[in-house]
Amino acid sequence: MVSATSQAPAGAPLVQTNVDYDPNVVIDTQNLTKVYSDFWGRSKVRALKGLDLEVRKGEVFGLLGPNGSGKSTTIKLLLGLLFPSGGRATIFGKPTTEVSKNERIGYLPEESYLYRFLTAEETLDFYGRLFDMPSDLRRERAAKLIEKVGLKWARRRPLREYSKGMTRRIGLAQALINDPDLVMLDEPTSGLDPLGTREMKDLILELKEQGKTVVMCSHLLADVQDVCDRIAILYQGELKEMGRVDELLEVTNQQQIRVEGLTKDAQAKIAEILAQSGGKMLDVSSPKNTLENLFLDIIRESQARPGARGIIGSGDDNGGR
Amino acid sequence: MVVEEFRSFSDWLLTEGALLTFVFVAAFCAVTGLLLGFLVSSFRHGPGEAFYAVSQTVFQAVPDAFGMKFRRIWAIGRLAMKENFRLFLVTLIIFVTSLAVAGWFIGGGGKYPERSYVSFLFFAAQILISIFAVLVSAFSLPNDILSKTIYTVVTKPVRASEVVLGRFVGFAVLGTVLLTFVGALSYVFMVRGINHTHELSEEITADKWLPIVDGFTPDGRRPFDPRAVFESTVLTTRNNDHVHRIAIVVLDDGTFDVVADETAGHTHSVEVVETDPETQRPKVVSFGPPRGNLRARQPIYSTPRGDLPALSLTDENGALNNGVNVGEIWDYHKYIQGGTQATATFRFSGITPQRFANTDSVNVDLNLAVFRTHIGDLRRRIEAEIELRNVVDVAETETAQVKSVKIPFETEEFKVQTLTIPRKLKNGTIRTVGQPDQVNQEFDFFEDIVPNGELDLVVRCIDQKQYLGVARASIYFHAGDSSFGWNYLRGFLGIWAQMLAIIALSVALSTFLKGPVVLIGSVGVIVFGYSAKFILFVADSVIGGDRLADVWGGGPTEALYRLVTQMNLQHPLPIGLGSDIIEFVDAKVLLPGMKSLSFAVPRFENFNLANYLAYGYAIDNHMLMINLTTAFAFAVGMLIIGYFCFKTREIAAA
Amino acid sequence: MNFAPSHYRKAIYGILAAILLLPISFLARPNQVSKDPTMAGEATGGTISQMRSKHNLSQASLSSIDPTSEVMKLASLGLHGIAVNVLWNQANQFQEKKAFDKVSSTVDTLILLQPNFVSVWEFQGHNLAYNISREFDDYQDRYFWVKEGLNFFTKGIAFNKRDHRIFDNLGLHTGLKLGGSDEKKQFRQMLRKDREYVDTFVSKFINPDRFDKPEAGGFDSWMLSYWWYDKSYHMRENLGVPKRTSDLMYWVKGPQQLRQYAEALSVDFRPGEATQKAWRTAYEAWTDRDRVGERQGFGKRDIMTSFGIEIRLEDLERELERQRAISRRMDELVPGVREELYQQRVAKLSPDDQRILKMPADQRQFKDIGEMVRIEAMLLIYEYEIAERASPENRVAAQNLLRELADGEFRRNQMDSYRYTVNYNYWRDFTNMESTVPAVLARQAAYEAAELDRQGILESFEEQVTDENGVTTTVKRDGSIDALWRYFQHTSEAVKPFPGLHDGESTFIEDLMVDFTKFGGHLRDVGREWPDDFPMQWFIDERVRRYGRANIKNLMTTEDIEARKRERGLLEEQTEQPEQTKPAEQTDQAVQADQSGQGDQ
């Protein structure tokens, strides 16, 4: 099922030269199944049943689904951590067990499995070596990433002394160390505070601008909604729904108008027009700011002017925005 | 020193078929591996899919092998080293404390202190390094997989071969550093432990110098130095559990010198501090550091020449035989009867001037065994003689001149006795066929006796009815001494080789087993390696059928049966189907399996070369080469197995 | 690796621990008992082990708790038994492979694991001193390994404070191996001057002056073995250590060593007053008073027999005396019955038997002696036969006497058999005889004869001797035949008072026979006949009479001499003197003078 690619701002689609390999298709799975079996080979759990998936270059693709729906299994299959029980999957046209594909992949696992006895710098240096990068490139890239994920102040402390958020950030840093074309994020925003989540989302969008393909799986729908172009919803190992986020979320038979300066009688006039044209006024209310924006504004404000601050909701003043 | 087998590297590799066995075992493992893989995957995914998977794994092995990047291997290695640095420190501390404690047990005492030192230190080093190797490599990879930190590594462009080899390199480097520390520390500990000096227990007044009368001291002892004129009754102080005697000796040029005797494997240089005015005999002397111990003699052993054996013996009327057995259980020494035509001929080759430290005299070392049938004169030692004869090649035996010279000497049992053969030899005889012998000729050792580097050394015992025991290693030309430190290092090379083999073994096992299981597996294989000779011995004697001769209790199943039914070892099994089954399982299944397995595992027993050091001999290069090659071959084999196991393993499925 | 606070704390603790290690190691350094035997008991370790020995904390225990041995037991992690098995096997294999230094180091480790098994000490000590020393060809190596065995035992002393067998073994091995093996001459010679061995390994237990005998040329192996046994007796008598061996074979050892010392002295050196004193001491120690160790002699020692009664070997004569006294009382009670029964029995004898009975004892020939045994058995009169004939009023008294006799009988049998086991009578007479003056003179003569034999001088000869002021006189020198003649004269005189030495088989008689044959041989060498007036002709005749000619083939008895004379015409009235002159009778003083010379072979 080929659907229109999202307008990727950078990195225009490539021309397909090789007949059976379209460079624009980053990930392609056909009838990908995974059955966990016990030692004697008796199949126990059908984790993934016949997944057909295609992720194109420059796209942010979301894999959604409740726990145990096969999201992580799919990612592990794509990365070669698991062997498919059936069907085929290719990344950049190469089979998942092909090691050289990892040159262009960055992976942030659920909990970032990093070596606790290494410091941040040493970790990035280690993974940099694994990409066979020369030392100067490694040092420069590591410093930039540490800066970017905001861990400069803790770069010399061993990871075992890191908080959960800090570990996620260094995990992300190691995923980007090789400036990958495909970034796979497993539950990237889980366990992060709203500030961290916001930064993660901004980062993902930034990657998108750089023309990178991002595949993320999460059960935090709000985050996926903000970031993903296309999503696939898995349930009990089966693909239930796939498509563009905006298309899917569109309530086709309803429209929403946002106006300013709407007086009571104007509102009544609109209601009449609607009634005549057969429409129906469902609701008239003023849009709510998202809690996230409120939270972030407060944090940013307190970062700009540290010290006590008037409490909005204490009930004594007349309420802010 | 007792050397029971003379193996040259090339013989061992080719003629004794070590290479062949290796190839056979490797092929055998490859085939079984593939078959097993095929069976398992076909069991899971059906034959078609299985064939594809297996062939794919095999073909992928090629890029995996050549795609390896050293930077990646070194990165994983460094990681492994950092991870196990603490264990490294702990092992080092254990060794240091065990050295301190050992000081109380070994002490400097005993006849040859360096023997107890070397054997203890090598034993401790070997055990400690093996344990370190197993511990460090057994838990590293399994923990990595268990804590899933392997995900971030495997999802990088890191080949399975790099992970396995990286770990091996990391542990090998860590182990080597530990081994250098252990080696250096133990060397310093030994040298300091053995170093000591003595003083005189009291002043030697004139009457304390005993004159040597017709070869004996007044209290019936034979002077420790044949040149001695006076021997002092005053002894040195007791340091390191021994004392020395001192004597005034007459040197060849007539001057006098004071020497100390050789006890506990060494002697001391003696300087005269004060001499007694009237008698001109030393009153107070001072002693230098120990000399003569911590040596590394370089022997030139006898070697077979064409189809003639290195050592051949003749009986009392000159016919070739295998030497007389004087009733000893250990048949290392072959005996020849004194006063008869019984001889022992040692065939030497490669005796060239360049090989000798100084060429104006040649040293022959002897460790002979003596068997007296009758007491005879107890005070006189058994007389024997060696005859040096040049070797004439077969073609011109008629015309060639056989030059030989006889050197009589007194035997000293259980000591390394050195005969110094001057380059200028007198009273030699020239024997040519059909002409009378020309006697008391003057020969030059290198030109006349050893023109072509080949020499026959014939030993005869002179005393009637007494026997002289020889073995191939008991007589050799003492080319010179190499430094003890360098020899000590090569000794540790043996342990280093064993460490590599063990690390490879544990890393390979750790690719598909959990930590503790790897530990038990590795220790099991190591113990198997140590007792391979015994297992071969049991297997041969049980399969061979002459069970009553050597091994009581039969093979493993029979032994289990006897254990359970509390049956005495000598009691024959009850006749019946049960015993037939037991015997069948033992002789046909278990023991052949163990026998072939014993070829697969390196014989760790041979890796401990402490014996050479203890007895002061340079380590035989061939023995070292054999050990190193076995260890490397085993390590490579294990790493390949490790690679395939790791490759076919689902990382996340654990 | 930057250091978080937790690291600093760890480093500090480490340093503190290291600092603490110093005093602890100083305090707790183990006692070096196991390695240096001379320091046995005396603590050389740290303060704790010194305090332990000062307050006798360790002395009271079975053995001094040697920390090194405890550490070894701990190190074997409870696999104590297996470790010991492995070590025993290893020791045997090393011995098979002649790696003897490895054997002794393995055994050293072994005794750390099994310090209190005396049999381990006994076996390995013996193994070192006998089996391993025998393997060597050079007697000096053998001597070294015998000392290794002895040093091994000295190490065992500290570990077995309540067991006298260690000292017994030291005595046994010092005596028998150093003093009695093939190499005894060399061993004893070397031991005499071996101050290093004595100072290092023996002076700790025995004061060297006790066995440093000037007359024996220095340290003597037999005296040393005596004093080892003395240590064992000291343990039994004063420390009340439990008895490990039978009394008889235990208390005989001390006196035995003294006798061996006397024997060795007379062989190694020129016999004289010193040897006489040694024999005298040996005799006294054998019978009533051991003057060297100031304790009861062997004969006076109470010996528990296997039947649970205590006897004293010396008391046998007194017991016999008591038995005869009781028999006499029995005769008084029942007069004349014994004589009557005896006559009845004699009457029943065959005439032949009666003839033998009447023959005087010294006339009986070899076969008659055999018959006499049978005859005596027939004439035996049992006391109960007499008691039965007692008159009614004396019957009770007779019965009491019978019971007394029965007891005495049982005790006498015990004494007899125990005396027989240790050859008590023979050795008593032998040592007694040897300590008499004639015996010493005989020994001197034998010594000179041996010396002359060595020089091959058989006949006596004249020699021109010029003294200091130039006067040359011809002096008559004895040949070995004359020396032997004197030897036989003195021996005959010495042996006569001891009939016990004449009969049965003993080394003394065998040696005499050898000397007779040698004397006969010398005579034949110089072409002379067996002399008519041979001083010990009576001895030979008696032997022939009692034991027939079986083992006395080439010797002449008196009958042979008379037969020879008859051949050569009538028996001369007065036996003609053999050509050589008999030296004058030697007096007591001469003995002292002779013993001054001290040469040794």
Side-chain angles (χ1 to χ4, degrees), chain B residues 38-54:
Chain B
F38 182 75
L39 275 177
V40 166
S41 50
S42 63
F43 178 77
R44 285 222 183 118
H45 312 294
E49 181 62 25
F51 181 74
Y52 168 72
V54 167

Side-chain angles (χ1 to χ4, degrees), chain C residues 321-366:
Chain C
E321 202 29 55
R322 260 183 52 245
Q323 186 204 5
R324 276 192 288 278
I326 297 170
S327 308
R328 277 196 298 278
R329 275 184 26 233
M330 178 68 88
D331 289 349
E332 281 147 19
L333 272 177
V334 187
V337 169
R338 190 183 302 280
E339 193 48 35
E340 183 196 325
L341 287 175
Y342 183 74
Q343 291 315 333
Q344 280 169 10
R345 300 260 159 86
V346 169
K348 280 209 228 73
L349 283 180
S350 67
D352 210 9
D353 291 349
Q354 288 182 2
R355 179 182 60 75
I356 296 170
L357 186 61
K358 290 186 183 55
M359 193 190 295
D362 54 5
Q363 302 292 333
R364 289 197 190 102
Q365 290 306 325
F366 172 64

Side-chain angles (χ1 to χ4, degrees), chain A residues 272-290:
Chain A
E272 280 158 23
I273 298 163
L274 270 176
Q276 288 153 12
S277 64
K280 189 158 132 329
M281 168 82 86
L282 292 176
D283 155 45
V284 177
S285 60
S286 51
K288 296 268 182 312
N289 183 6
T290 59

